[in-house]
Amino acid sequence: ALVAALREEADALPVSAIKARAHVERMLFIVRFLANTGLRREEIGAVAMSDIFSEHNPVTQHDYWYLRVTGKGQKTRIIALNDSARDALGRYRRFYKTPEHYRGNTSMIMLPMRADHKGSSRTVTGQSVYMVVMEAFRFAASVLQDAQPEIAHTLSHATPHWFRHTFATLCLSAGHPLKLVQEQLGHESIETTAIYQHASRFEMF
């Protein structure tokens, strides 16, 4: 519901409304990428395009995509990128007509500090991501207030950490190993991840 509301708003804006469209596209990308990776808000801003890579599996003949992330305590981990996360990134960069390739210039920041992508080597702060996400929650809540009041109420009380909570809950509900989810989230202790095994599931993405 959250993603749908943002996507509909972005698609409904006229081509001439460049600044407004850019702002909504930024909200849409951040929301989708956080929701599909379980990243912390501080982590998404530090990702460079060259941190994304693929590995080919000769048995399945599929390419699997990953993201190198530096998290708490400057610890680096490798997380999986699903199709939805890559689709979100592709849409975002196509909007700005910036390169979609993942190799090359290590200074090419995935999410530049400025929404217009000028000064694109500067990283966005966790606080900036927080503000963008909170605005997205408020916007979606207002759009859904009449048609889906329960979801609107939940969104109006949500914070960016909710993405990690929901990501972990859905992964564990789908049968993914606890250890794998721990690694994806970057939890120091597996007991922290285990908390989500019995959390309530709320479909929103």
Side-chain angles (χ1 to χ4, degrees):
L2 170 59
V3 168
L6 292 171
R7 185 185 285 118
E8 288 176 10
E9 174 68 9
D11 292 342
L13 288 168
V15 176
S16 58
I18 297 176
K19 288 186 177 180
R21 176 70 184 271
H23 186 62
V24 179
E25 289 287 350
R26 191 171 179 82
M27 286 195 292
L28 178 60
F29 167 65
I30 291 175
V31 163
R32 292 184 68 194
F33 206 79
L34 290 177
N36 284 283
T37 59
L39 288 178
R40 298 179 178 91
R41 57 188 170 95
E42 295 85 0
E43 294 171 340
I44 189 174
V47 174
M49 291 297 286
S50 57
D51 289 326
I52 302 171
F53 64 96
S54 65
E55 292 182 354
H56 182 72
N57 187 315
V59 177
T60 63
Q61 291 299 307
H62 288 154
D63 290 326
Y64 296 91
W65 291 87
Y66 303 94
L67 173 63
R68 187 179 298 104
V69 182
T70 300
K72 284 186 175 181
Q74 293 301 301
K75 292 183 179 179
T76 300
R77 69 185 189 279
I78 304 298
I79 69 170
L81 278 186
N82 62 24
D83 291 342
S84 293
R86 292 183 60 229
D87 180 71
L89 178 58
R91 172 176 173 136
Y92 184 62
R93 298 194 74 84
R94 283 192 298 273
F95 174 77
Y96 286 104
K97 297 180 174 59
T98 52
E100 293 181 51
H101 62 79
Y102 305 136
R103 299 176 180 84
N105 187 359
T106 57
S107 66
M108 185 183 294
I109 299 300
M110 183 182 72
L111 181 65
M113 184 173 69
R114 291 181 53 151
D116 58 11
H117 280 230
K118 292 179 180 179
S120 60
S121 63
R122 299 183 64 185
T123 60
V124 68
T125 65
Q127 181 61 24
S128 295
V129 172
Y130 177 88
M131 298 300 293
V132 171
V133 172
M134 294 305 292
E135 182 180 354
F137 284 144
R138 289 193 298 270
F139 169 77
S142 66
V143 169
L144 299 169
Q145 183 58 55
D146 294 333
Q148 302 181 65
E150 291 186 5
I151 294 180
H153 176 76
T154 302
L155 290 174
S156 66
H157 291 80
T159 67
H161 184 73
W162 189 37
F163 291 124
R164 281 171 62 80
H165 175 99
T166 306
F167 179 84
T169 302
L170 295 179
C171 284
L172 292 170
S173 298
H176 294 293
L178 186 61
K179 181 64 176 176
L180 184 64
V181 178
Q182 177 197 6
E183 293 173 354
Q184 182 85 8
L185 295 174
H187 284 157
E188 184 72 23
S189 170
I190 199 166
E191 283 75 18
T192 303
T193 313
I195 294 172
Y196 298 108
Q197 283 185 310
H198 306 293
S200 60
R201 175 173 174 165
F202 183 78
E203 298 280 3
M204 74 174 210
F205 305 122

